[in-house]
Amino acid sequence: MRQHVPAVAAAVENGDAMFGTVDSWLIYCLTGGLDGGVHVTDVTNASRTNLMELASLAWHGPTLELFGAPPAMMPRIASNAEVYGRVAAGPLAGVPIAGCLGDQMAALLGQRAAPGEAKNTYGTGCFMLLNTGPSLTPSS
């Protein structure tokens, strides 16, 4: 979009553009959007963008640079279980938004997969996730 839509390119250059996943958009809108919405994503959704460094749980600077994505436009990466903000308006105003988990990762957690166990999820595609335990296990 940045290459083909001048308004998007200008927003990125001016620091007005925000990049995120569906969860970050929903949290942003629920917490107030343009009127103080919180720009945040959880670690599972951040990891699925392939823009996050798994060891540091932070956005990977060289990859962001490759795509021309300034780090300031990225959502804050948070844990799966913390208060991100509160619903800004409507009948749920004030209710904390206190957790977020990507669907495939949630399926693995819901299945209670122990280290060494895997789970396939089926929907828009077929994905297999493997619980490798507490340390990073590179593919070979």
Side-chain angles (χ1 to χ4, degrees):
M1 289 181 64
R2 184 177 183 182
Q3 294 173 344
H4 302 288
V5 181
V8 171
V12 171
E13 294 304 318
N14 295 334
D16 294 327
M18 299 167 80
F19 175 86
T21 53
V22 170
D23 65 294
S24 65
W25 170 249
L26 292 171
I27 294 168
Y28 176 75
C29 290
L30 287 169
T31 57
L34 291 174
D35 294 322
V38 178
H39 192 217
V40 65
T41 189
D42 78 289
V43 69
T44 64
N45 284 292
S47 72
R48 299 302 277 174
T49 67
N50 289 323
L51 298 173
M52 186 188 81
E53 166 59 49
L54 294 175
S56 67
L57 304 180
W59 298 115
H60 186 250
T63 305
L64 293 179
E65 187 175 326
L66 177 71
F67 287 104
M73 72 186 277
M74 304 302 290
R76 178 177 68 86
I77 299 173
S79 76
N80 303 100
E82 65 181 81
V83 176
Y84 306 127
R86 296 183 179 276
V87 176
L92 298 177
V95 172
I97 298 172
C100 185
L101 192 63
D103 60 345
Q104 295 161 16
M105 307 280 191
L108 188 69
L109 180 67
Q111 191 72 32
R112 301 182 67 190
E117 293 182 339
K119 168 130 177 70
N120 284 350
T121 60
Y122 304 93
T124 56
C126 174
F127 303 92
M128 179 170 55
L129 276 72
L130 171 70
N131 183 346
T132 61
S135 59
L136 292 176
T137 304
S139 298
S140 57

